[in-house]
Amino acid sequence: MRPPAPPRLWLLLPLLLCCLRAAAPPPDSLSQLAAPQHPKIRLYNLEQVLSWESPSPVNDTRPVVYSVQYKYIVGEWHDVTVKSIGVNCTQITATECDFTAAGLSKGFLLHFNVTLRLRAELGELVSAWVTMPWFLHYRNVTVGPPKHIMVTPREGTLVIVVSPPFEVDTSEATFLYTVHYEEKPGMQQVKGPLQSNFILLDNLKPFRIYCLQVEAQLFWNTQRIIRPGQLSNTSCYETTADAYAKQQQVIGISVGTLLSLLLLAGACFFLVLKYGSVVKYLFRTPPSIPAQIEEYLKDPVQPILEALDKDISQKDDTWNSVSVISFPEKEREDVL
Ligand SMILES: *[C@@H]1O[C@H](CO)[C@@H](O)[C@H](O)[C@H]1NC(C)=O
Ligand SMILES: *[C@@H]1O[C@H](CO)[C@@H](O)[C@H](O)[C@H]1NC(C)=O
Ligand SMILES: *[C@@H]1O[C@H](CO)[C@@H](O)[C@H](O)[C@H]1NC(C)=O
Ligand SMILES: *[C@@H]1O[C@H](CO)[C@@H](O)[C@H](O)[C@H]1NC(C)=O
Ligand SMILES: *[C@@H]1O[C@H](CO)[C@@H](O)[C@H](O)[C@H]1NC(C)=O
């Protein structure tokens, strides 16, 4: 009888270990695909965008694709698809997922607590999931400046009307507006926060330049949380006169107008008095006939042309002696 051969058992041991290892869940090093890098969530006004960078390049001709999942405070992970959210962020080649892409989706509700995760995929290979910090739009949003700011300078006052950076459900949240302003050069002053989008900066000096910026804070009613807003660009305006100065101006203009009217009336009256007779004469006398023609008409024998000629030659002499300018005049008459 031969004894059992112990070396054979030793031979089986590595095989056993190998099988045990294969059955264990694969650690990251075995997934062989690097995860997306530097993921960021952008929450600006109503925008919700997750973006990332592709992992280090892989030795493969096929493109790496990415899949995004979301979950609420309780519940399972769900794929981001057209059906669930309105946009398809499953196996996409792009390196961003715009949950609020224009016309497609409104994204996650602003008061929902949302957690996102994403991974890279390449054929059968997948990367580990990268889980983002949770966000709640009303809590995490970056609020931009008011969309429109309309400023009307008035008497020692600036009337400001602003429109909100974006529309919110007013039962959930409202905007509070703050104006930072200063007289150039001068100290910075603040008006607000105010709930109204109609703001009056009064008690300003007339005819001065004021520069201002407006901030819209987002006030989340139910949680009583305020998100600061970004300041608008600086814009400057000149105030007009204040009420008193304006009144003085109006009185000045009225008095001035009245005085000039009186003056004009006086002048007319004076002219009529002084030249009244002339005016009357001009209007009364019928158009008269020149004396020489009248004479000729009375005595047709006298040659009219001769009489005219004599008259002209007399003038001619005087002109000749005076200047050269009269020369062409003479020539013309010679021709005649
Ligand atoms: C990676 O690509 C190079 C050519 O770019 C090739 O020579 C090499 O065999 C590839 N390696 C693997 C593991 O596919
Ligand atoms: C949002 O949900 C996470 C868990 O997903 C939780 O840790 C966090 O406290 C929640 N935030 C709020 C404000 O409820
Ligand atoms: C999502 O988009 C990718 C690439 O554009 C496409 O391959 C995939 O089939 C789409 N998924 C769905 C569910 O439409
Ligand atoms: C949202 O804000 C909370 C604190 O209020 C913070 O813990 C969380 O990381 C923020 N989420 C994101 C995505 O920045
Ligand atoms: C504010 O100014 C910057 C740079 O001067 C400009 O790019 C931006 O469009 C301005 N914003 C508004 C709302 O006018």
Side-chain angles (χ1 to χ4, degrees):
M1 267 186 71
R2 290 168 68 185
R8 278 190 190 165
L9 275 176
W10 289 108
L11 276 171
L12 280 172
L13 207 62
L15 202 72
L16 204 73
L17 278 171
C18 169
C19 292
L20 274 173
R21 199 190 285 169
D28 265 3
S29 61
L30 280 186
S31 69
Q32 288 177 343
L33 193 60
Q37 295 188 313
H38 312 299
K40 284 196 301 275
I41 296 178
R42 173 180 156 90
L43 304 171
Y44 181 81
N45 287 350
L46 286 176
E47 291 172 42
Q48 299 173 346
V49 181
L50 173 67
S51 62
W52 58 90
E53 287 162 27
S54 51
S56 42
V58 283
N59 217 352
D60 201 298
T61 50
R62 292 169 298 174
V64 176
V65 294
Y66 307 93
S67 290
V68 180
Q69 293 189 332
Y70 70 94
K71 83 175 177 74
Y72 298 129
I73 199 161
V74 286
E76 298 297 303
W77 289 102
H78 302 280
D79 287 334
V80 174
T81 61
V82 173
K83 211 172 150 200
S84 63
I85 295 296
V87 287
N88 168 20
C89 294
T90 300
Q91 299 189 328
I92 55 169
T93 49
T95 54
E96 74 161 35
C97 178
D98 185 350
F99 301 99
T100 47
L104 290 177
S105 158
K106 292 192 146 190
F108 300 102
L109 289 176
L110 305 187
H111 61 275
F112 271 25
N113 181 340
V114 182
T115 307
L116 299 173
R117 68 176 188 178
L118 92 144
R119 73 177 180 188
E121 299 171 8
L122 181 62
E124 296 302 304
L125 300 176
V126 292
S127 78
W129 287 103
V130 185
T131 305
M132 302 300 294
W134 60 270
F135 75 85
L136 206 152
H137 201 96
Y138 278 138
R139 233 179 216 275
N140 292 79
V141 66
T142 300
V143 181
K147 206 189 227 162
H148 298 293
I149 302 170
M150 227 182 68
V151 181
T152 316
R154 286 274 158 79
E155 316 149 350
T157 303
L158 291 178
V159 181
I160 305 168
V161 182
V162 297
S163 60
F166 56 94
E167 297 303 324
V168 287
D169 179 350
T170 48
S171 67
E172 278 181 358
T174 49
F175 286 102
L176 303 173
Y177 301 99
T178 306
V179 182
H180 302 258
Y181 65 102
E182 62 178 321
E183 184 196 323
K184 283 281 174 192
M187 256 195 15
Q188 175 107 42
Q189 283 173 288
V190 173
K191 175 127 187 188
L194 304 165
Q195 274 211 292
S196 168
N197 67 336
F198 180 89
I199 305 152
L200 218 61
L201 295 185
D202 44 12
N203 294 322
L204 303 180
K205 292 175 193 154
F207 303 121
R208 296 291 170 89
I209 306 278
Y210 287 87
C211 292
L212 58 87
Q213 289 176 290
V214 188
E215 174 193 3
Q217 299 172 319
L218 182 65
F219 178 61
W220 187 19
N221 302 336
T222 50
Q223 303 296 311
R224 310 202 69 75
I225 287 173
I226 290 182
R227 284 299 291 168
Q230 292 176 333
L231 286 173
S232 67
N233 286 348
T234 305
S235 49
C236 301
Y237 306 89
E238 187 177 358
T239 52
T240 60
D242 66 11
Y244 178 72
K246 193 124 186 176
Q247 206 178 348
Q248 296 299 305
Q249 210 178 347
V250 166
I251 289 173
I253 289 170
S254 314
V255 169
T257 313
L258 203 69
L259 276 178
S260 20
L261 281 176
L262 278 174
L263 218 68
L264 202 70
C268 285
F269 187 64
F270 173 78
L271 281 173
V272 167
L273 268 189
K274 181 152 190 198
Y275 298 106
S277 52
V278 176
V279 173
K280 272 181 209 163
Y281 173 80
L282 280 175
F283 279 96
R284 271 186 198 169
T285 50
S288 60
I289 305 162
Q292 282 162 333
I293 294 174
E294 205 175 341
E295 255 173 56
Y296 171 74
L297 287 175
K298 277 181 197 160
D299 181 13
V301 184
Q302 194 191 337
I304 176 89
L305 288 175
E306 233 170 66
L308 283 171
D309 234 23
K310 202 173 79 186
D311 212 44
I312 286 162
S313 59
Q314 266 167 13
K315 275 178 201 161
D316 235 24
D317 289 337
T318 46
W319 288 352
N320 254 344
S321 62
V322 172
S323 71
V324 188
I325 297 168
S326 64
F327 185 71
E329 200 69 28
K330 185 187 171 267
E331 228 173 31
R332 193 163 62 89
E333 273 151 16
D334 285 346
V335 169
L336 278 168

